[in-house]
Amino acid sequence: MTYLNNIGLYFLMIKEMFRKPTKWSVMKGLILKDIDDLVIGSLGIVAFISFFVGGVITIQTALNITNPLIPKYLVGFATRQSVILEFAPTFTSIIMAGKVGSFITSSIGTMRVTEQIDALEVMGINSLNYLVFPKAVAMMLYPFAIAIGMFLGILGGMAACVYGGYTTLEDYITGIQMDFDGFHMTYSFLKTFVFAFILATIPSFHGYYMKGGALEVGKASTTSFVWTSVVIILINYILTDMLLG
Amino acid sequence: MIEVKGLHKSFGDAHILKGIDAYFEKGETSLVIGQSGSGKTVFIKCLLGLFPYDEGTISYDGKIYSELSEDQKRDLRAEIGMVFQGSALFDSMTIQENVMFPLRMFTKMSKSEMEDRVDVVLKRVNLDDAHHKMPSEASGGMQKRVAIARAIVNNPKYLFCDEPNSGLDPKTAIVIDNLIQEITDEYQIVTVINSHDMNSVMEIGEKIVFLQHGYKEWEGSKNTIFKTDNKAVTDFVYSSELFKKVRKMYLEEKQ
């Protein structure tokens, strides 16, 4: 029953988030700040993880291709498919649920505990629009981070291939160009947009509606990470079945 | 004027407010006092619209709060200033930005006009040189003064203060109390203070509403509270030996 209540409350929050918009001159500043905090601030970790995980995917694939009849360029092909279809959009989003999600939950939760949200409400400001809407808008730039992640993942795979001696550079490049289906990019970015919205709103929900003190802010951050990850994985399954199945 | 009639509020089975009647007038500093758990914070939060109430009416200058649309409620709230117990300053903004915040949200002032207005109110609360400090760099007393400055910067009609001098030393607490009273008088606003600080009661209690177990037990002023024989009030207000002696001396002097 609590789950159903929370799901209902979440959708009411989404509806309320669009009501009584904050003045554009103020909202513009909030959006830019959130782009800086949530997207640009995450580029470093996205780049680092993408590059090395791309390398690991390549090494694992190369080591598992033991049959001499399988061409070596398939290492590049497998890396590209893994990075574009799953690693960059889904795996990175789950990592972001930890980084961005816990930041959002703890910052909004702390505002709740210290009555800053009450202060906004008393002033007649729609606190959901003021706090959550700019985060949702800022996260619409998250697919750019994922695009960088895709590029660096494939680049990391190439570095691992060449410097680890698993295949030649030519084979790897042949592999990443082979049988390219443009719809895979559409699918990947479509789900990234959905994940971006989830990454902005579920942690906000947990921060906004939390009750208690500092300890509960920590608990809310953990709960927010768990639920954001669960929802991303479920939505990933549904979208994959709908778009590729 | 704020008028409250038959206000009831429950949380589940817990009946917190049991038919409170009160009115608070312009230019008068009103204190809502009572023991912890008496319902005074719930009462203030109902007045502010932060808690929906179950029964009764609250009217702001004749406008009945429950009959207003959501947009009208938000417009009314723009006329309210609030000083929270923990100050509730936005910790990502400087003191100047905190005070400027209501102006940015609700006025069409230019940046220089807003800065001038912030200078005026910060000077009014005796904070001339704290503009660029972050709230975390300010002392408790300074934070309270910034909260008062933010509450009055947009010329509110109504000012609410939740335990404005809690956690402050007695000298700073009196400074804050006097500041609130001066501002109330100067700007002719309706001020309602939630407190259990007896110094505040004696210092600025032009009107005092005493709550106990969710009922309004007594109503009076700092002058009449000395003479009352209401046991609940005397037990609460004169619980310390010091205040018992002060009261005795006052009554002896009057005889």
Side-chain angles (χ1 to χ4, degrees):
Chain A
M1 201 61 190
T2 313
Y3 292 136
L4 283 178
N5 278 340
N6 283 342
I7 291 167
L9 196 56
Y10 171 78
F11 284 107
L12 287 174
M13 181 195 86
I14 302 293
K15 185 183 148 206
E16 188 66 18
M17 181 177 105
F18 292 100
R19 284 193 65 248
K20 183 101 181 178
T22 304
K23 260 170 90 172
W24 173 242
S25 57
V26 177
M27 181 56 77
K28 192 172 60 182
L30 294 172
I31 292 171
L32 290 174
K33 187 178 178 302
D34 281 332
I35 289 173
D36 189 37
D37 286 342
L38 307 178
V39 182
I40 296 173
S42 303
L43 286 178
I45 187 80
V46 169
F48 177 80
I49 294 171
S50 301
F51 187 83
F52 284 98
V53 172
V56 169
I57 291 170
T58 303
I59 294 169
Q60 299 267 20
T61 312
L63 292 176
N64 282 288
I65 297 177
T66 50
N67 190 329
L69 295 175
I70 300 176
K72 282 290 184 190
Y73 59 74
L74 276 184
V75 174
F77 176 78
T79 303
R80 185 199 75 199
Q81 291 298 85
S82 308
V83 168
I84 288 177
L85 293 176
E86 281 312 313
F87 168 72
T90 312
F91 187 57
T92 308
S93 295
I94 287 170
I95 293 166
M96 286 300 106
K99 189 198 176 284
V100 170
S102 57
F103 169 75
I104 292 173
T105 306
S106 56
S107 58
I108 295 181
T110 304
M111 288 186 77
R112 169 64 73 198
V113 171
T114 55
E115 295 181 307
Q116 291 175 50
I117 293 178
D118 287 345
L120 288 170
E121 286 291 325
V122 168
M123 286 180 208
I125 294 163
N126 178 356
S127 56
L128 282 170
N129 180 267
Y130 182 84
L131 294 172
V132 185
F133 182 75
K135 288 176 176 52
V137 174
M139 284 302 281
M140 290 302 113
L141 289 180
Y142 173 66
F144 286 103
I146 294 303
I148 292 169
M150 286 175 182
F151 172 75
L152 289 173
I154 293 170
L155 194 73
M158 190 171 79
C161 244
V162 176
Y163 296 110
Y166 297 101
T167 61
T168 62
L169 181 62
E170 290 71 26
D171 278 345
Y172 186 81
I173 289 174
T174 306
I176 60 174
Q177 291 175 330
M178 198 179 78
D179 287 340
F180 181 73
D181 184 350
F183 183 71
H184 286 173
M185 294 299 283
T186 310
Y187 154 78
S188 192
F189 280 111
L190 197 69
K191 69 180 185 179
T192 304
F193 274 110
V194 177
F195 295 161
F197 190 75
I198 290 167
L199 280 169
T201 53
I202 293 184
S204 297
F205 171 81
H206 284 281
Y208 191 86
Y209 291 106
M210 64 143 298
K211 289 188 176 81
L215 182 66
E216 282 73 19
V217 174
K219 284 181 183 167
S221 296
T222 311
T223 314
S224 141
F225 169 69
V226 171
W227 279 108
T228 308
S229 307
V230 167
V231 173
I232 284 173
I233 287 167
L234 284 175
I235 296 285
N236 184 41
Y237 175 81
I238 294 166
L239 286 178
T240 304
D241 194 42
M242 280 169 63
L243 296 170
L244 299 181
Chain B
M1 187 174 94
I2 301 173
E3 194 171 6
V4 181
K5 281 184 189 165
L7 192 71
H8 285 263
K9 172 68 184 168
S10 299
F11 292 100
D13 295 335
H15 198 169
I16 307 296
L17 300 178
K18 299 163 184 166
I20 308 274
D21 293 309
Y23 66 93
F24 305 105
E25 295 204 65
K26 202 164 78 169
E28 189 177 70
T29 312
S30 306
L31 274 86
V32 178
I33 63 169
Q35 281 181 298
S36 297
S38 58
K40 55 189 192 301
T41 298
V42 174
F43 179 63
I44 289 275
K45 290 200 169 179
C46 284
L47 292 187
L48 288 165
L50 292 174
F51 288 158
Y53 48 91
D54 305 328
E55 269 181 57
T57 57
I58 298 171
S59 61
Y60 285 81
D61 290 318
K63 289 179 273 186
I64 296 175
Y65 189 81
S66 57
E67 291 175 2
L68 300 177
S69 68
E70 279 305 308
D71 287 345
Q72 286 172 322
K73 281 178 186 169
R74 288 215 165 98
D75 292 341
L76 173 67
R77 283 178 189 170
E79 296 178 336
I80 293 174
M82 172 77 192
V83 178
F84 284 87
Q85 190 174 359
S87 300
L89 300 177
F90 302 119
D91 43 23
S92 59
M93 298 180 192
T94 62
I95 283 173
Q96 186 188 39
E97 288 166 344
N98 262 286
V99 179
M100 200 185 278
F101 186 78
L103 300 178
R104 286 177 64 210
M105 297 301 290
F106 299 112
T107 70
K108 290 177 179 171
M109 284 182 179
S110 67
K111 193 161 186 276
S112 62
E113 285 172 329
M114 285 193 277
E115 281 170 355
D116 290 345
R117 176 68 184 149
V118 170
D119 287 346
V120 169
V121 288
L122 280 178
K123 201 169 181 181
R124 184 66 194 82
V125 297
N126 305 317
L127 282 176
D128 289 340
D129 53 357
H131 291 57
H132 302 294
K133 282 187 176 169
M134 298 303 284
S136 57
E137 295 168 331
S139 66
M142 276 172 83
Q143 288 186 10
K144 285 279 158 63
R145 281 185 280 165
V146 176
I148 293 169
R150 186 178 68 182
I152 62 168
V153 72
N154 205 16
N155 293 319
K157 283 186 179 174
Y158 317 98
L159 177 67
F160 291 88
C161 308
D162 187 13
E163 314 236 356
N165 45 24
S166 70
L168 300 179
D169 63 83
K171 200 176 167 187
T172 312
I174 288 170
V175 170
I176 297 291
D177 282 342
N178 289 335
L179 182 62
I180 293 170
Q181 190 171 37
E182 284 163 22
I183 285 166
T184 303
D185 188 46
E186 197 177 316
Y187 295 99
Q188 284 295 296
I189 48 184
V190 181
T191 297
V192 183
I193 302 173
N194 181 358
S195 181
H196 50 51
D197 179 15
M198 286 311 112
N199 286 324
S200 298
V201 172
M202 302 307 179
E203 193 76 25
I204 57 168
E206 290 174 297
K207 178 182 186 134
I208 300 164
V209 173
F210 176 72
L211 300 187
Q212 194 180 42
H213 307 307
Y215 294 101
K216 185 177 85 176
E217 182 67 37
W218 183 84
E219 190 177 309
S221 69
K222 65 181 176 184
N223 299 321
T224 56
I225 204 164
F226 277 112
K227 299 170 204 160
T228 182
D229 51 5
N230 183 307
K231 196 174 177 317
V233 177
T234 53
D235 283 353
F236 175 70
V237 177
Y238 307 109
S239 53
S240 78
E241 285 304 316
L242 176 66
F243 278 112
K244 275 179 192 155
K245 280 179 191 165
V246 170
R247 185 187 189 215
K248 196 177 163 193
M249 282 165 64
Y250 175 87
L251 292 174
E252 281 171 3
E253 205 176 276
K254 287 283 166 187
Q255 279 170 359

